[in-house]
Amino acid sequence: MTLQQLRYIVAVVTCGSISEAAKQLFITQPSLSNSIKELEKEMGISIFNRSPKGIALSSDGREFLSYARQVLEQAQLLEQHYTGRPPAKRICSISTQHYAFAVNAFANVVSRQNIDEYEFTLRETRTYEIIDDVKNCRSELGILYMNHFNRKVLKKLFTENGLVFHTLFHADPHIFISCFHPLSHKKSVSIEDLEPYPFLAFEQGENNSFYFSEEILSTVPRKKVIYVSDRATLFNLLIGLNGYTICSGILNRNLNGDTITAVPLNTEESMEIGWLSNPKLHLSQFALKYLDELKRLIQ
């Protein structure tokens, strides 16, 4: 086993495929595949499960990846101490539902990085993909919510995939609407108040189950519904169509401006927002700092 082979494993996981990793590593795909197979044979495990749809980390592979990353980090520290080389490019990936506070925390931590090179990824993505990213170590952690409606289904998925959910905070549901919306002056609104207006929600792709919805009360019948894939489009439609969405109520003026406001929603529902981890994955210093910044912003 060599350090280079460990770097190959990390690169394949980060890129999501052998072909893309080979391009980034500037080696041929057969060479990369052979190197991985030799390592698997030496370790006596299958690091990746292979199928016509591609590759994914096996259960043994997830554990191996955690050790590989720790070994590579220690090797880098050793090289820096004795050779005086600059720190290696820092890499970290985080997956999240569409929360402004998650983006704000990410921006704050990145801006404090006193290094010349880094490669960070922030995925605002679908609920099922967040779970899959953390399961397969494409992301170190995932930000999502649970409530009484989806809790049983999500917890079952977490358990089946060996993941752990950590609570960050509980939130009373609000609606996001334009500051010029007819309901913006109200101290609170009901579902009935919202009936004339378009409901905006994040689409969930192939796993379009109510249990994976980012918005609570997803099963409530509505006459007007628009599904979007990103926050910018959603906010534009909130303004352009007098639409609304249901959320945690946390806004960041620096990122969202003053054109969107949050109004409490009259409901007995609540949201438990937290972060998802894979116990087999050793969290990087950046991921730990990100969690600290999330907690600071929420307070």
Side-chain angles (χ1 to χ4, degrees), residues 10-119:
V10 172
V12 171
V13 172
T14 302
C15 295
S17 72
I18 289 180
S19 59
E20 184 58 34
K23 290 178 186 175
Q24 301 224 356
L25 293 166
F26 301 104
I27 61 174
T28 65
Q29 186 172 334
S31 296
L32 179 55
S33 295
N34 289 336
S35 181
I36 292 172
K37 287 176 182 176
E38 288 173 6
L39 181 59
E40 289 177 318
K41 184 177 179 180
E42 181 182 351
M43 295 294 105
I45 60 171
S46 293
I47 298 173
F48 293 105
N49 291 326
R50 296 160 175 85
S51 72
K53 293 183 178 179
I55 62 168
L57 276 172
S58 66
S59 179
D60 286 334
R62 287 193 288 273
E63 184 175 22
F64 183 86
L65 178 66
S66 179
Y67 284 113
R69 281 178 164 156
Q70 291 183 59
V71 170
L72 290 173
E73 286 177 4
Q74 292 301 314
Q76 289 168 3
L77 289 173
L78 190 65
E79 287 180 351
Q80 289 164 28
H81 181 77
Y82 287 103
T83 67
R85 292 179 183 173
K89 182 188 291 187
R90 197 163 298 174
I91 297 175
C92 177
S93 178
I94 291 165
S95 296
T96 177
Q97 290 179 328
H98 297 78
Y99 296 129
F101 64 83
V103 178
N104 191 24
F106 189 85
N108 289 350
V109 178
V110 171
S111 67
R112 297 185 196 128
Q113 298 300 303
N114 188 26
I115 52 177
D116 294 330
E117 294 186 41
Y118 57 71
E119 186 176 308

Side-chain angles (χ1 to χ4, degrees), residues 126 128 201-215 218 227:
R126 300 161 178 165
Y128 187 86
F202 290 106
E203 57 93 16
Q204 296 297 320
E206 293 179 3
N207 298 286
N208 193 22
S209 162
F210 287 125
Y211 297 112
F212 295 128
S213 173
E214 292 189 41
E215 301 78 24
S218 57
Y227 293 102

Side-chain angles (χ1 to χ4, degrees), residues 94 99-106 109 141 143 168-169 274-275 287-299:
I94 291 165
Y99 296 129
F101 64 83
V103 178
N104 191 24
F106 189 85
V109 178
L141 52 90
I143 312 295
L168 281 169
F169 67 101
W275 59 282
L288 293 173
K289 290 177 182 177
Y290 177 73
L291 286 175
D292 287 341
E293 182 63 14
L294 270 180
K295 294 170 185 175
R296 188 190 71 80
L297 284 179
I298 289 161
Q299 288 173 353

